[in-house]
Amino acid sequence: MNEKDNYKERRRFWIDKSLTQTGYSINLFTSLSIAFVGYLVNQNDLLKKIVIDFDLKIDWVLIFFYSSLIFSVLGCMFGVYSVLSRLTDFRITRNIVKAKSKYFDNYNRKAKRIRTTKLKKGFSDFIMISFLYDNDFNLDLIDDIEKFDQRLKLLKERSDFLGKITWCYHKTQIIFIFLAVDFYAISEILNTCI
């Protein structure tokens, strides 16, 4: 094994580790936020104290408690978003690899290397994803090969976008969970002081 193959193998190893750890992290923080929501909902004594009367003083314990509950629910939501965008990203990546393999089998040459640009489309463009299927490989004309390359590029751009958005969702999830815990701690401190 030469040095270049050694680096490729290392890179593959660390990509696999990174994907695995990302999954563990998303699952851990999603589980923690769901458990924390359950814990907060079981604090019935504070949940029943809601009174809407503008003549009363502001109850900071309730404000911080409900803020904690809202941040926990948001943490759960962003955890689910992370998982869904990650799964969609994996599905697209699997389709790209399968398409390139099928292309090589049919034409005995590699598909073009995909260079992506920044995706300028909105998230709504990801609802309908045009995957490449077996019947897309009857490419006899240069036009067909160009269309294939364009569809492959579009899939790669969507995959790149989903990879980035997964990290954004996960970071936002972590922030919301820490805010939820902090706000709950403040509500408990205020509750014992009052």
Side-chain angles (χ1 to χ4, degrees), residues 66-129:
Y66 279 103
S67 296
S68 175
L69 184 61
I70 290 167
F71 285 134
S72 296
V73 170
L74 288 172
C76 293
M77 287 173 42
F78 277 92
V80 170
Y81 294 158
S82 296
V83 169
L84 292 176
S85 65
R86 190 164 190 260
L87 288 174
T88 306
D89 181 19
F90 286 162
R91 184 171 179 218
I92 291 171
T93 303
R94 186 191 67 199
N95 187 256
I96 290 170
V97 170
K98 181 182 175 191
K100 285 183 171 184
S101 174
K102 189 82 170 163
Y103 185 92
F104 186 80
D105 290 345
N106 286 359
Y107 305 107
N108 207 17
R109 64 181 173 149
K110 290 172 107 177
K112 277 186 184 176
R113 185 171 177 91
I114 303 169
R115 302 257 185 240
T116 60
T117 57
K118 286 191 176 187
L119 191 63
K120 294 182 174 129
K121 298 182 180 192
F123 194 75
S124 62
D125 293 329
F126 290 92
I127 293 171
M128 295 300 293
I129 297 173

Side-chain angles (χ1 to χ4, degrees), residues 1 17-18 38-39 57 63 65 75 79 89 93 99 110 112-113 137 150 153 156 158 165 167 175 179 188:
M1 179 181 280
K17 288 290 182 193
S18 175
Y39 173 77
K57 284 176 40 179
I63 298 285
F65 177 80
D89 181 19
T93 303
K110 290 172 107 177
K112 277 186 184 176
R113 185 171 177 91
F137 294 96
Q150 283 301 106
K153 182 178 180 180
K156 179 67 174 142
R158 289 179 175 179
I165 203 83
W167 276 104
I175 290 168
L179 285 172
E188 285 295 308

